[in-house]
Amino acid sequence: HEKEVFLPFYAREDKDFTIARTYYVAGNVVGASNDNNGLHPDHRGGKDGPFRDFNDWKVRGKLFGPDDGVRMIVREGTYVVENIGEDGVVLDGRGDEFHPVILSGYPGERAVLTSDGTVNVPVQIHGRHGIVENLVVASDREVKYDMIVTGDNAIVRNCVFVGPVHEDCIKIGDQADHCFLFNNDISGYGSQCVDNFGVNILFRKNHVHHAGNWKANALGTKGGTHRVVVASNVFHDLSGGISFGGTGNLELYRRGRDGNLLH
């Protein structure tokens, strides 16, 4: 019998995805409004044009819970994310690997997401099959993390994360299973570039360094995590390197079948 070959989610090309709807956020485009339908990168009259920003549930809700594939493309500009009842922009996919939820910068343009001081985490990936790509997340000391990942099969690629963030640039929770971080530039964090409690993590071809006087660890794994691969990255100007294993809140630690804490 011919064997089936399964590609991991992160290895799939864009053409493999089926996206039911594509929306645009374009704060610098004349006529952009959160009352628009968001279906075009420029304004075409009436409500036929891009959204203005992320500070409206009508906009953020497009990324929350779709199961048939959705993409939101962010055009040039700086977008100050406010707390409107949820902490940051949340991707919460419910579809399969062919119908992901994607938040992406517009090709050839610089789209920056930042906090207004009321948001602890500008971007979060929950659910499953969420992709964040080609964006800049620029935070300050009031932000706890640039990003939290708790979902399954999450991808973060070709992004720039710059602080100074109070703690970690990317926090991967113990609920996360299969997370791929690829070709990101990460700097300016108070504790760690990535603080990982998840399993099946691939951290590849990232550039990790400090910003200004902020120096800290590149990557740490905690809580009984396993199957973590760190390959082909560049780390420099840090006070610490890579730590496999470490201390943390014992309530977050994974346990074996006999109930004992994993190493």
Side-chain angles (χ1 to χ4, degrees):
H1 295 285
E2 192 173 303
K3 291 183 178 180
E4 293 187 55
V5 178
F6 294 95
L7 283 175
F9 175 56
Y10 66 79
R12 295 200 175 277
E13 299 181 18
D14 198 65
K15 64 181 178 60
D16 296 328
F17 299 140
T18 300
I19 304 298
R21 288 170 300 279
T22 297
Y23 298 101
Y24 296 87
V25 180
N28 289 334
V29 170
V30 176
S33 170
N34 291 341
D35 291 327
N36 287 341
N37 57 23
L39 297 178
H40 301 283
D42 49 17
H43 188 236
R44 302 188 178 186
K47 297 186 181 298
D48 203 13
F51 298 126
R52 183 184 70 248
D53 57 39
F54 290 95
N55 299 321
D56 190 313
W57 174 248
K58 176 183 176 182
V59 180
R60 291 196 202 177
K62 304 298 185 187
L63 300 170
F64 197 89
D67 58 8
D68 53 359
V70 66
R71 186 194 314 268
M72 185 169 287
I73 299 176
V74 190
R75 298 207 59 182
E76 184 92 20
T78 297
Y79 298 85
V80 179
V81 179
E82 301 173 0
N83 192 325
I84 57 171
E86 61 175 5
D87 199 7
V89 178
V90 177
L91 285 71
D92 190 6
R94 308 293 171 86
D96 60 25
E97 63 183 299
F98 301 104
H99 301 84
V101 176
I102 302 173
L103 178 65
S104 177
Y106 193 88
E109 296 186 358
R110 180 180 171 87
V112 181
L113 272 64
T114 188
S115 167
D116 71 338
T118 67
V119 169
N120 287 316
V121 188
V123 183
Q124 301 193 41
I125 305 177
H126 303 315
R128 56 181 181 262
H129 300 111
I131 302 174
V132 175
E133 59 187 8
N134 308 319
L135 289 171
V136 178
V137 182
S139 300
D140 56 35
R141 294 171 193 257
E142 301 303 317
V143 172
K144 192 171 184 179
Y145 314 116
D146 272 337
M147 176 182 288
I148 285 179
V149 179
T150 66
D152 294 343
N153 292 292
I155 297 175
V156 182
R157 60 190 176 195
N158 307 321
C159 291
V160 175
F161 296 90
V162 58
V165 180
H166 181 64
E167 290 192 25
D168 312 313
C169 269
I170 301 174
K171 172 77 79 174
I172 303 177
D174 67 327
Q175 310 97 319
D177 189 350
H178 288 87
C179 179
F180 178 46
L181 298 100
F182 174 75
N183 198 40
N184 301 289
D185 187 288
I186 309 172
S187 64
Y189 44 90
S191 181
Q192 296 183 103
C193 160
V194 175
D195 189 16
N196 174 53
F197 287 83
V199 299
N200 297 304
I201 310 299
L202 177 54
F203 189 77
R204 185 167 181 264
K205 289 192 175 180
N206 299 282
H207 178 204
V208 182
H209 55 106
H210 77 285
N213 294 321
W214 284 63
K215 299 183 181 182
N217 293 331
L219 183 146
T221 65
K222 303 175 183 175
T225 184
H226 48 287
R227 293 191 293 275
V228 177
V229 176
V230 181
S232 305
N233 301 281
V234 175
F235 304 108
H236 65 87
D237 294 300
L238 305 168
S239 60
I242 301 169
S243 171
F244 288 123
T247 58
N249 187 339
L250 289 178
E251 294 180 358
L252 298 178
Y253 270 54
R254 296 175 183 273
R255 297 176 182 269
R257 292 181 180 178
D258 57 2
N260 293 325
L261 292 170
L262 298 176
H263 294 294

